[in-house]
Amino acid sequence: MQHQQRRRRGRPRSETAASHDTILEAVYELLQERSVRDVTMEAVAKLAGVGKPTLYKWWPTKAALAIAVLQKWLVNNDSVPSLTGSAETVIRSAVHSLIALFNGFFGKVIADLIAEGQSEPAVLQELYDRHIGQRRAETVAAVERGIAAGEFVADTDPDILIDTIFGAIYYRLLLRSAPLTEEFGEKVVDQVLSGVRRVV
């Protein structure tokens, strides 16, 4: 009897998952027309049909909600960079994937979160930990493999190489100084790798 009573406590996991999905869909809808700064927990709660305490139970801030939406959105997105092949192939795939993402919903929200992070460093840390860090580490690892295989000169610094390439992409995303195109990405990769390719 006690065992049955314990099992009745709390919502079933499927119901919890459905609540999560409803909330994240509400955030996604709001972010189509508003910046992260202009989205409020009140608006999310109203659109999702839940109470604010439910939101705060799972996500302490609206930035955390936006990051959760990105995580869900990326999992369902087909634009995934290849991690196989030469280091140059991996880099070009990652550049193409990122530019495609930045030219859509993902880019808008990332730019908003970076802006929010200027006054709230915790936002930048969470964004890096959940999205940027892993992808950067994978690309750095590809460069390290390229060095070991003789694709790049031995004194190539993987971190500086990746920051140089992807920093240019983030620069155009944030400043919008010029269109962020695949052609631009290719030219950046060509220019940067020309200085580190090993001449046989």
Side-chain angles (χ1 to χ4, degrees):
M1 183 67 175
Q2 290 179 348
H3 177 68
Q4 290 178 341
Q5 289 177 341
R6 282 197 298 270
R7 291 184 60 185
R8 289 173 187 162
R9 293 177 182 173
R11 293 182 174 183
R13 291 185 64 184
S14 59
E15 187 176 346
T16 299
S19 297
H20 273 77
D21 288 343
T22 299
I23 292 167
L24 295 182
E25 286 168 8
V27 178
Y28 179 86
E29 183 175 336
L30 290 169
L31 285 173
Q32 300 299 314
E33 300 178 350
R34 309 181 191 184
S35 67
V36 171
R37 176 167 297 182
D38 291 334
V39 170
T40 64
M41 297 299 254
E42 289 82 0
V44 174
K46 181 178 179 180
L47 187 58
V50 300
K52 285 174 60 179
T54 299
L55 299 182
Y56 286 113
K57 176 182 177 181
W58 294 324
W59 301 282
T61 66
K62 61 185 179 182
L65 266 172
I67 291 172
V69 168
L70 289 181
Q71 189 169 14
K72 179 179 175 64
W73 189 81
L74 282 175
V75 167
N76 295 329
N77 191 282
D78 293 330
S79 184
V80 177
S82 171
L83 296 176
T84 60
S86 67
E88 182 168 342
T89 297
V90 172
I91 291 169
R92 290 188 187 276
S93 176
V95 166
H96 291 166
S97 175
L98 190 62
I99 288 175
L101 290 172
F102 275 2
N103 280 319
F105 171 77
F106 181 85
K108 170 190 176 299
V109 178
I110 283 288
D112 285 349
L113 287 169
I114 291 174
E116 289 292 297
Q118 303 313 300
S119 57
E120 295 183 48
V123 173
L124 290 180
Q125 188 64 54
E126 186 171 3
L127 180 62
Y128 185 87
D129 290 345
R130 287 183 174 270
H131 294 290
I132 299 173
Q134 179 181 349
R135 291 166 178 78
R136 184 180 184 281
E138 290 168 349
T139 314
V140 167
V143 175
E144 291 172 342
R145 292 195 300 271
I147 296 170
E151 188 177 348
F152 302 136
V153 295
D155 62 351
T156 299
D157 187 311
D159 289 295
I160 292 177
L161 178 65
I162 294 307
D163 286 348
T164 301
I165 292 173
F166 289 91
I169 296 172
Y170 275 88
Y171 180 90
R172 284 208 175 181
L173 169 72
L174 296 174
L175 294 186
R176 302 179 185 178
S177 56
L180 183 53
T181 63
E182 284 194 7
E183 181 183 8
F184 168 72
E186 286 289 339
K187 288 182 177 180
V188 170
V189 175
D190 289 341
Q191 185 71 41
V192 175
L193 294 191
S194 68
V196 299
R197 285 194 186 94
R198 184 177 178 184
V199 179
V200 180

